[in-house]
PDB file of all heavy atoms in Angstrom:
ATOM      1  N   ALA A 113      41.479 140.354 -29.165  1.00 98.00           N
ATOM      2  CA  ALA A 113      41.529 141.799 -29.443  1.00 98.00           C
ATOM      3  C   ALA A 113      40.226 142.249 -30.094  1.00 98.00           C
ATOM      4  O   ALA A 113      39.708 141.571 -30.984  1.00 98.00           O
ATOM      5  CB  ALA A 113      42.704 142.114 -30.365  1.00 98.00           C
ATOM      6  N   ARG A 114      39.691 143.372 -29.641  1.00 98.00           N
ATOM      7  CA  ARG A 114      38.442 143.914 -30.199  1.00 98.00           C
ATOM      8  C   ARG A 114      38.704 145.057 -31.175  1.00 98.00           C
ATOM      9  O   ARG A 114      37.897 145.353 -32.037  1.00 98.00           O
ATOM     10  CB  ARG A 114      37.537 144.421 -29.071  1.00 98.00           C
ATOM     11  CG  ARG A 114      37.086 143.345 -28.126  1.00 98.00           C
ATOM     12  CD  ARG A 114      36.174 142.367 -28.831  1.00 98.00           C
ATOM     13  NE  ARG A 114      35.674 141.357 -27.911  1.00 98.00           N
ATOM     14  CZ  ARG A 114      35.142 140.194 -28.287  1.00 98.00           C
ATOM     15  NH1 ARG A 114      35.040 139.907 -29.566  1.00 98.00           N
ATOM     16  NH2 ARG A 114      34.709 139.340 -27.399  1.00 98.00           N
ATOM     17  N   THR A 115      39.819 145.746 -30.962  1.00 98.00           N
ATOM     18  CA  THR A 115      40.149 146.861 -31.857  1.00 98.00           C
ATOM     19  C   THR A 115      41.564 146.653 -32.388  1.00 98.00           C
ATOM     20  O   THR A 115      42.479 146.312 -31.635  1.00 98.00           O
ATOM     21  CB  THR A 115      40.063 148.216 -31.137  1.00 98.00           C
ATOM     22  OG1 THR A 115      40.928 148.179 -29.976  1.00 98.00           O
ATOM     23  CG2 THR A 115      38.651 148.508 -30.667  1.00 98.00           C
ATOM     24  N   VAL A 116      41.718 146.824 -33.698  1.00 98.00           N
ATOM     25  CA  VAL A 116      43.000 146.571 -34.349  1.00 98.00           C
ATOM     26  C   VAL A 116      43.320 147.735 -35.283  1.00 98.00           C
ATOM     27  O   VAL A 116      42.468 148.168 -36.060  1.00 98.00           O
ATOM     28  CB  VAL A 116      42.955 145.254 -35.165  1.00 98.00           C
ATOM     29  CG1 VAL A 116      44.279 145.004 -35.874  1.00 98.00           C
ATOM     30  CG2 VAL A 116      42.606 144.067 -34.267  1.00 98.00           C
ATOM     31  N   ALA A 117      44.552 148.241 -35.184  1.00 99.00           N
ATOM     32  CA  ALA A 117      45.018 149.308 -36.089  1.00 99.00           C
ATOM     33  C   ALA A 117      45.988 148.718 -37.102  1.00 99.00           C
ATOM     34  O   ALA A 117      46.946 148.037 -36.734  1.00 99.00           O
ATOM     35  CB  ALA A 117      45.705 150.412 -35.288  1.00 99.00           C
ATOM     36  N   PHE A 118      45.708 148.972 -38.374  1.00 99.00           N
ATOM     37  CA  PHE A 118      46.558 148.482 -39.469  1.00 99.00           C
ATOM     38  C   PHE A 118      47.225 149.643 -40.206  1.00 99.00           C
ATOM     39  O   PHE A 118      46.556 150.644 -40.485  1.00 99.00           O
ATOM     40  CB  PHE A 118      45.707 147.787 -40.534  1.00 99.00           C
ATOM     41  CG  PHE A 118      45.356 146.356 -40.284  1.00 99.00           C
ATOM     42  CD1 PHE A 118      44.113 146.018 -39.756  1.00 99.00           C
ATOM     43  CD2 PHE A 118      46.232 145.331 -40.632  1.00 99.00           C
ATOM     44  CE1 PHE A 118      43.758 144.684 -39.555  1.00 99.00           C
ATOM     45  CE2 PHE A 118      45.884 143.992 -40.434  1.00 99.00           C
ATOM     46  CZ  PHE A 118      44.652 143.670 -39.902  1.00 99.00           C
ATOM     47  N   PRO A 119      48.454 149.475 -40.623  1.00 99.00           N
ATOM     48  CA  PRO A 119      49.023 150.406 -41.607  1.00 99.00           C
ATOM     49  C   PRO A 119      48.680 149.886 -43.007  1.00 99.00           C
ATOM     50  O   PRO A 119      48.096 148.806 -43.135  1.00 99.00           O
ATOM     51  CB  PRO A 119      50.533 150.275 -41.354  1.00 99.00           C
ATOM     52  CG  PRO A 119      50.712 148.830 -40.988  1.00 99.00           C
ATOM     53  CD  PRO A 119      49.427 148.420 -40.240  1.00 99.00           C
ATOM     54  N   ALA A 120      49.053 150.633 -44.021  1.00 99.00           N
ATOM     55  CA  ALA A 120      48.858 150.184 -45.410  1.00 99.00           C
ATOM     56  C   ALA A 120      50.039 149.293 -45.779  1.00 99.00           C
ATOM     57  O   ALA A 120      51.050 149.754 -46.325  1.00 99.00           O
ATOM     58  CB  ALA A 120      48.751 151.392 -46.342  1.00 99.00           C
ATOM     59  N   ILE A 121      49.876 148.003 -45.467  1.00 98.00           N
ATOM     60  CA  ILE A 121      50.964 147.031 -45.608  1.00 98.00           C
ATOM     61  C   ILE A 121      51.504 147.010 -47.049  1.00 98.00           C
ATOM     62  O   ILE A 121      50.722 147.069 -48.008  1.00 98.00           O
ATOM     63  CB  ILE A 121      50.463 145.626 -45.195  1.00 98.00           C
ATOM     64  CG1 ILE A 121      50.006 145.637 -43.734  1.00 98.00           C
ATOM     65  CG2 ILE A 121      51.535 144.551 -45.417  1.00 98.00           C
ATOM     66  CD1 ILE A 121      49.171 144.419 -43.341  1.00 98.00           C
ATOM     67  N   SER A 122      52.793 146.928 -47.168  1.00 98.00           N
ATOM     68  CA  SER A 122      53.543 146.794 -48.435  1.00 98.00           C
ATOM     69  C   SER A 122      53.597 148.054 -49.296  1.00 98.00           C
ATOM     70  O   SER A 122      54.265 148.052 -50.326  1.00 98.00           O
ATOM     71  CB  SER A 122      53.022 145.631 -49.310  1.00 98.00           C
ATOM     72  OG  SER A 122      53.385 144.376 -48.766  1.00 98.00           O
ATOM     73  N   THR A 123      52.888 149.119 -48.886  1.00 98.00           N
ATOM     74  CA  THR A 123      52.822 150.291 -49.776  1.00 98.00           C
ATOM     75  C   THR A 123      53.965 151.278 -49.576  1.00 98.00           C
ATOM     76  O   THR A 123      53.985 152.340 -50.194  1.00 98.00           O
ATOM     77  CB  THR A 123      51.491 151.059 -49.604  1.00 98.00           C
ATOM     78  OG1 THR A 123      51.455 151.589 -48.262  1.00 98.00           O
ATOM     79  CG2 THR A 123      50.294 150.170 -49.842  1.00 98.00           C
ATOM     80  N   GLY A 124      54.917 150.949 -48.707  1.00 98.00           N
ATOM     81  CA  GLY A 124      56.064 151.833 -48.479  1.00 98.00           C
ATOM     82  C   GLY A 124      57.292 151.288 -49.164  1.00 98.00           C
ATOM     83  O   GLY A 124      57.372 151.238 -50.395  1.00 98.00           O
ATOM     84  N   ILE A 125      58.236 150.836 -48.367  1.00 97.00           N
ATOM     85  CA  ILE A 125      59.508 150.323 -48.875  1.00 97.00           C
ATOM     86  C   ILE A 125      59.275 149.159 -49.853  1.00 97.00           C
ATOM     87  O   ILE A 125      60.033 148.993 -50.809  1.00 97.00           O
ATOM     88  CB  ILE A 125      60.393 149.875 -47.684  1.00 97.00           C
ATOM     89  CG1 ILE A 125      60.753 151.093 -46.809  1.00 97.00           C
ATOM     90  CG2 ILE A 125      61.669 149.183 -48.162  1.00 97.00           C
ATOM     91  CD1 ILE A 125      61.185 150.747 -45.391  1.00 97.00           C
ATOM     92  N   TYR A 126      58.206 148.398 -49.655  1.00 98.00           N
ATOM     93  CA  TYR A 126      57.942 147.236 -50.517  1.00 98.00           C
ATOM     94  C   TYR A 126      57.253 147.588 -51.834  1.00 98.00           C
ATOM     95  O   TYR A 126      57.004 146.716 -52.662  1.00 98.00           O
ATOM     96  CB  TYR A 126      57.173 146.155 -49.751  1.00 98.00           C
ATOM     97  CG  TYR A 126      58.037 145.347 -48.795  1.00 98.00           C
ATOM     98  CD1 TYR A 126      57.503 144.329 -48.019  1.00 98.00           C
ATOM     99  CD2 TYR A 126      59.403 145.594 -48.675  1.00 98.00           C
ATOM    100  CE1 TYR A 126      58.300 143.581 -47.144  1.00 98.00           C
ATOM    101  CE2 TYR A 126      60.203 144.859 -47.805  1.00 98.00           C
ATOM    102  CZ  TYR A 126      59.652 143.854 -47.039  1.00 98.00           C
ATOM    103  OH  TYR A 126      60.430 143.113 -46.183  1.00 98.00           O
ATOM    104  N   GLY A 127      56.930 148.871 -52.023  1.00 98.00           N
ATOM    105  CA  GLY A 127      56.598 149.374 -53.359  1.00 98.00           C
ATOM    106  C   GLY A 127      55.231 149.054 -53.943  1.00 98.00           C
ATOM    107  O   GLY A 127      55.014 149.276 -55.147  1.00 98.00           O
ATOM    108  N   TRP A 128      54.285 148.575 -53.160  1.00 98.00           N
ATOM    109  CA  TRP A 128      52.966 148.241 -53.707  1.00 98.00           C
ATOM    110  C   TRP A 128      52.224 149.530 -54.064  1.00 98.00           C
ATOM    111  O   TRP A 128      52.171 150.451 -53.248  1.00 98.00           O
ATOM    112  CB  TRP A 128      52.136 147.452 -52.683  1.00 98.00           C
ATOM    113  CG  TRP A 128      51.122 146.563 -53.354  1.00 98.00           C
ATOM    114  CD1 TRP A 128      49.948 146.962 -53.950  1.00 98.00           C
ATOM    115  CD2 TRP A 128      51.215 145.145 -53.534  1.00 98.00           C
ATOM    116  NE1 TRP A 128      49.312 145.878 -54.486  1.00 98.00           N
ATOM    117  CE2 TRP A 128      50.057 144.747 -54.246  1.00 98.00           C
ATOM    118  CE3 TRP A 128      52.159 144.184 -53.178  1.00 98.00           C
ATOM    119  CZ2 TRP A 128      49.811 143.420 -54.597  1.00 98.00           C
ATOM    120  CZ3 TRP A 128      51.920 142.861 -53.508  1.00 98.00           C
ATOM    121  CH2 TRP A 128      50.747 142.487 -54.219  1.00 98.00           C
ATOM    122  N   PRO A 129      51.619 149.602 -55.264  1.00 98.00           N
ATOM    123  CA  PRO A 129      50.874 150.825 -55.622  1.00 98.00           C
ATOM    124  C   PRO A 129      49.743 151.080 -54.618  1.00 98.00           C
ATOM    125  O   PRO A 129      49.005 150.160 -54.269  1.00 98.00           O
ATOM    126  CB  PRO A 129      50.308 150.496 -57.003  1.00 98.00           C
ATOM    127  CG  PRO A 129      51.198 149.426 -57.551  1.00 98.00           C
ATOM    128  CD  PRO A 129      51.656 148.622 -56.360  1.00 98.00           C
ATOM    129  N   MET A 130      49.631 152.314 -54.157  1.00 98.00           N
ATOM    130  CA  MET A 130      48.731 152.635 -53.046  1.00 98.00           C
ATOM    131  C   MET A 130      47.267 152.280 -53.336  1.00 98.00           C
ATOM    132  O   MET A 130      46.583 151.715 -52.479  1.00 98.00           O
ATOM    133  CB  MET A 130      48.864 154.122 -52.688  1.00 98.00           C
ATOM    134  CG  MET A 130      48.069 154.541 -51.479  1.00 98.00           C
ATOM    135  SD  MET A 130      48.502 153.636 -49.964  1.00 98.00           S
ATOM    136  CE  MET A 130      50.046 154.428 -49.518  1.00 98.00           C
ATOM    137  N   GLU A 131      46.783 152.603 -54.552  1.00 98.00           N
ATOM    138  CA  GLU A 131      45.361 152.357 -54.846  1.00 98.00           C
ATOM    139  C   GLU A 131      45.049 150.862 -54.746  1.00 98.00           C
ATOM    140  O   GLU A 131      44.034 150.457 -54.188  1.00 98.00           O
ATOM    141  CB  GLU A 131      44.979 152.871 -56.241  1.00 98.00           C
ATOM    142  CG  GLU A 131      44.764 154.376 -56.303  1.00 98.00           C
ATOM    143  CD  GLU A 131      46.025 155.181 -56.023  1.00 98.00           C
ATOM    144  OE1 GLU A 131      47.145 154.690 -56.361  1.00 98.00           O
ATOM    145  OE2 GLU A 131      45.915 156.272 -55.431  1.00 98.00           O
TER     146      GLU A 131
END
Side-chain angles (χ1 to χ4, degrees):
R114 297 294 183 198
T115 56
V116 179
F118 277 99
I121 299 165
S122 287
T123 64
I125 296 160
Y126 283 180
W128 207 285
M130 185 59 76
E131 281 65 31

